[in-house]
Amino acid sequence: MICIETQHFNLNRTLLLAIGLWPYQKSKFVGFQTILCFGILTSFVIFQLTALITTKCTVDFIIKVFSTAIVFNFYVIIYNMFWINTHHVRNLLEQLQYICNEIKDENELAIIKKYGHNTRRCTTIITLFAICSTFFAILLPIWPQILGTILHMNESQIQSQAIQITTEYFVDQKKYFYLIYLHTNAVMCIGATTLTATGTMILGCIIHICGMFKIASYRIEQAMSTKMIENINLKNQIMINKKIFYAVEIHRKAMKFTDVLISSFEGSILLILTFGVISLSLNIFAIFRNISLRNNEAVLLHVLIVFIILLYLFLTNYAGQEVTNYSNYVYFTAYNVRWYMAPLHAQKMILFILQKGSKTFHLNVAGLFVISLQCFATLTKASMSYFTFMYSTQQ
């Protein structure tokens, strides 16, 4: 028996527990932890937007504020997405556990274990990348201090160079520099953990969906193997019908599970994709703007943000493309086997898969986005178009 919580999602569980979003074992402490994390993330976005109140709002300044504020707003949206949908996350895990419990064949268990291993491997790689990115982002503001010890810069010069994210706390920022820096670091750590934990959780579910489609293909191939077809007796007819039925059943469950996954987070995914395009445009513009101003620390910060946004959008759309590819593979498997030699009842069930597969199965978000590599190209192209427009108006 496979326990997906401890075997496939153990690292995801640890990450979600760290920020109070694991859907099981809720307590008062976890409730306090959740409110604290959400409050820290939300307050940082607010303190960035308050800078628009106390400073003269030029186009450059507005773009500078929103280029980072929207990114940190990502964290708030994603955190809130899992917080208010805790019951949906728990339901998804329970459905996935139920599907795994029904798998008895050793080869099928090997398939689902393989995709569970892929889940752990992807989570580990993404977590390591998040740790390195967070460490770089934390080190970036204090890099002038390191240089200051070498170049003998004074404290005011160090602090003026160190603050790359525009905020307004309504206090003396030089006096409370280290408290502001602590708040910024806390947001980066919580935000990176949120982005990694939630993203890899959804990615893990999608990887298991691909595993279900793979099992459906395997069951069709086994049912329509040469040995079974060449010796069709009553026993083999019953066996073929049973295997085709199980193939149709897990194919149906995979599609249903996908629909539940998308419908649970549809609104949040729509916001993330929309803000992703806007944020990508603003940060690409900020890169070119800071290059002209020779502000190297700000350039590095915005390059890191652009890379993370592109990576997040790419992984999201690549996962959606993989679901479509695996669904198509089930259709091609059913189409290419010698279904016409199967018993009549089995032919009717195979026809059900062919009818479902004749229309490409997509991860459709609110009827506006079809999550695929083509969608990633479209979003990137839209971001570049908005950047080009902004850059041309500033010349």
Side-chain angles (χ1 to χ4, degrees), residues 142-371:
I142 62 172
W143 183 247
Q145 289 184 312
I146 299 172
L147 291 178
T149 59
I150 300 171
L151 302 177
H152 306 290
M153 296 168 61
N154 59 46
E155 187 73 13
S156 62
Q157 287 178 310
I158 292 170
Q159 292 184 2
S160 65
Q161 292 186 39
I163 300 173
Q164 301 299 336
I165 300 173
T166 304
T167 54
E168 178 53 72
Y169 286 82
F170 301 103
V171 295
D172 186 346
Q173 296 208 18
K174 292 183 179 180
K175 182 178 179 181
Y176 296 98
F177 171 78
Y178 291 103
L179 287 176
I180 295 172
Y181 179 58
L182 177 63
H183 185 208
T184 304
N185 288 347
V187 170
M188 287 183 178
C189 292
I190 296 170
T193 307
T194 301
L195 203 64
T196 304
T198 57
T200 54
M201 190 72 192
I202 295 174
L203 182 61
C205 289
I206 291 175
I207 290 173
H208 281 78
I209 290 168
C210 294
M212 290 181 229
F213 282 131
K214 183 68 175 178
I215 291 173
S217 302
Y218 170 79
R219 288 176 177 177
I220 295 170
E221 290 171 348
Q222 291 298 304
M224 302 304 295
S225 63
T226 303
K227 183 179 178 181
M228 299 289 286
I229 295 297
E230 289 179 349
N231 184 25
I232 298 183
N233 50 38
L234 181 60
K235 182 181 178 181
N236 282 352
Q237 283 187 19
I238 295 172
M239 187 67 67
I240 290 171
N241 288 338
K242 185 182 290 187
K243 287 186 176 182
I244 294 296
F245 170 77
Y246 288 144
V248 172
E249 183 70 7
I250 198 165
H251 182 260
R252 183 187 65 82
K253 287 179 178 178
M255 297 179 75
K256 183 180 178 181
F257 185 82
T258 306
D259 291 336
V260 171
L261 176 65
I262 295 300
S263 62
S264 299
F265 306 109
E266 192 171 55
S268 299
I269 294 172
L270 186 62
L271 283 174
I272 290 168
L273 293 177
T274 304
F275 284 163
V277 172
I278 298 171
S279 182
L280 192 57
S281 305
L282 292 173
N283 280 281
I284 293 173
F285 178 83
I287 290 171
F288 282 85
R289 190 64 178 168
N290 283 288
I291 286 174
S292 63
L293 297 174
R294 299 182 183 278
N295 190 343
N296 297 328
E297 289 80 10
V299 170
L300 290 174
L301 176 65
H302 291 291
V303 166
L304 179 63
I305 291 172
V306 167
F307 183 75
I308 291 172
I309 294 172
L310 284 172
L311 181 64
Y312 196 84
L313 292 177
F314 174 76
L315 289 177
T316 302
N317 286 282
Y318 180 78
Q321 184 68 56
E322 282 293 284
V323 170
T324 300
N325 293 343
Y326 273 86
S327 176
N328 289 340
Y329 182 73
V330 176
Y331 171 77
F332 293 137
T333 302
Y335 184 81
N336 290 325
V337 297
R338 291 185 289 178
W339 54 268
Y340 49 85
M341 297 182 66
L344 183 61
H345 187 62
Q347 288 185 30
K348 290 179 179 179
M349 287 189 288
I350 291 175
L351 182 62
F352 177 79
I353 292 178
L354 292 174
Q355 286 176 333
K356 284 285 186 181
S358 60
K359 185 178 180 182
T360 305
F361 182 68
H362 293 299
L363 272 65
N364 196 304
V365 181
L368 298 174
F369 295 101
V370 174
I371 302 178

